[in-house]
Amino acid sequence: MSALPASADDYPSRPIRLVVGFGAGGPTDIPARFIADKLGNHLGQRVIVENKMGAAGMLATRDLLAQPADGYNLLLCTHFESINTVLYKNPGFKLTDLAPVSLIAKYYYGVALSNSIPANTLEELMAYAKAHPGEVSYATLGAGSAQEIMARQFEKLAGISMNRIPFRSGSQIMPDLIAGRVHFYVSPTIGVVPQYHAKQVKILGVTSPERLKSIPEVPTLKERGIDYVRYGFLGICGREGTPQPIVDQLNKYIVSVVATPEYRELIEKGGSLPESSTPQALGQVIAQTVDDVAATIKEFGMQQE
């Protein structure tokens, strides 16, 4: 067996950073911290989660790309990386600057509604919004976020209009949704199912092809006559140029963590799917996301400087 390249021979010899572009306690942060803890056990070094919020995840991406390509700085990569390369004329990075390592989850979205709106079905929400123009607001995680893209598509499909309210993180949105200060939120299911079970908010539909095991009473959008199936993803990425032996080592251990019953329980109870992959398969998912959002961003004139 040939020896590892010198740069990977003693990896890891010090703690590793995992940068998350969104707030602590949110639907991206919770799985990231589980993965970091267990990955650290496998590697024999701490994996420290660092939240760098701002610019729809771009601050975290730029942070990663400012570091050496040595495997000691990782990114919790999401659909935002793909969206940002389409949404912004100059996001400051290219998708080829990333080195995909593995998926850690796929998730669908729930159409969440504040209890302050007297509607319990999508049809009732459409009727209410039409009867009360300008009164219903929706939450987004910044311009061009997946939440905004889907909210705008929902507006078009449903023939309604809502007011856009931007937030910095999903953890900031939920208190306002519960209090009725914002009314509508297309949320990753892991970020809203606990509040739904606590009867703090309603979920009117999900973007999955079939009903979710965690909330089987909630219909799919397709069942309600809206032909819309979408998923998001979470993955681990390094910087392009990271030595392949390091990528392979990280992939092996991440795959083993994702396969554990504890991780599966954490992810599935939120309505998401634990899923690992090869680095190549994550790269394909990232590229496919670009194809999925490009037409919508162009149609609604959402591109930013």
Side-chain angles (χ1 to χ4, degrees):
M1 181 178 296
S2 60
L4 294 176
S7 59
D9 193 35
D10 61 349
Y11 178 85
S13 60
R14 63 180 189 272
I16 297 165
R17 294 170 67 237
L18 174 58
V19 185
V20 177
F22 303 94
T28 55
D29 183 71
I30 293 169
R33 290 183 182 273
F34 187 101
I35 293 288
D37 180 59
K38 303 304 181 184
L39 181 60
N41 292 341
H42 282 296
L43 293 172
Q45 289 284 351
R46 290 180 63 202
V47 179
I48 302 166
V49 174
E50 190 170 320
N51 299 90
K52 282 194 172 290
M53 297 186 297
M58 287 191 290
L59 292 186
T61 307
R62 292 167 184 163
D63 180 281
L64 170 75
L65 298 179
Q67 311 301 326
D70 56 8
Y72 287 96
N73 293 275
L74 303 173
L75 175 71
L76 194 283
C77 47
T78 72
H79 54 275
F80 277 95
E81 277 70 49
S82 300
I83 291 172
N84 288 337
T85 61
V86 181
L87 179 66
Y88 293 94
K89 293 181 179 179
N90 183 22
F93 65 91
K94 307 181 297 297
L95 291 178
T96 53
D97 293 332
L98 300 176
V101 176
S102 176
L103 280 168
I104 62 170
K106 284 186 176 179
Y107 57 86
Y108 295 100
Y109 295 87
V111 176
L113 189 69
S114 169
N115 289 333
S116 65
I117 298 294
N120 294 300
T121 66
L122 287 169
E123 292 83 358
E124 290 177 0
L125 171 60
M126 294 175 200
Y128 182 88
K130 289 175 181 177
H132 301 81
E135 291 187 16
V136 179
S137 60
Y138 69 91
T140 77
L141 291 174
S145 66
Q147 287 77 10
E148 180 178 8
I149 289 171
M150 285 188 280
R152 289 203 180 194
Q153 289 174 324
F154 178 76
E155 285 180 304
K156 179 181 178 181
L157 292 167
I160 62 175
S161 178
M162 299 180 288
N163 299 317
R164 173 181 170 271
I165 308 294
F167 289 79
R168 291 189 67 198
S169 74
S171 60
Q172 294 174 330
I173 291 173
M174 196 52 61
D176 279 15
L177 188 70
I178 292 170
R181 291 186 290 270
V182 67
H183 308 117
F184 180 94
Y185 177 40
V186 182
S187 170
T189 48
I190 194 173
V192 72
V193 166
Q195 293 81 3
Y196 167 75
H197 284 314
K199 301 187 184 303
Q200 295 174 310
V201 299
K202 295 172 275 195
I203 301 179
L204 306 186
V206 290
T207 67
S208 52
E210 299 175 351
R211 294 193 182 197
L212 299 174
K213 292 180 181 179
S214 58
I215 44 174
E217 69 281 5
V218 176
T220 66
L221 294 187
K222 198 165 187 177
E223 286 180 70
R224 292 303 192 190
I226 298 176
D227 190 7
Y228 193 77
V229 176
R230 286 289 186 274
Y231 71 86
F233 69 89
L234 303 178
I236 304 296
C237 290
R239 180 179 167 185
E240 191 278 329
T242 301
Q244 192 61 44
I246 290 178
V247 172
D248 293 341
Q249 183 179 0
L250 290 168
N251 176 270
K252 178 179 72 172
Y253 290 137
I254 290 168
V255 168
S256 68
V257 173
V258 171
T260 62
E262 295 84 2
Y263 184 75
R264 180 172 296 276
E265 180 181 3
L266 172 72
I267 297 301
E268 288 185 344
K269 75 179 181 181
S272 300
L273 305 173
E275 185 167 336
S276 58
S277 71
T278 64
Q280 294 76 18
L282 174 55
Q284 291 168 1
V285 169
I286 291 171
Q288 181 62 50
T289 303
V290 172
D291 294 338
D292 289 343
V293 302
T296 300
I297 287 173
K298 181 178 180 180
E299 177 184 359
F300 290 103
M302 297 168 68
Q303 192 173 56
Q304 311 286 309
E305 291 296 334

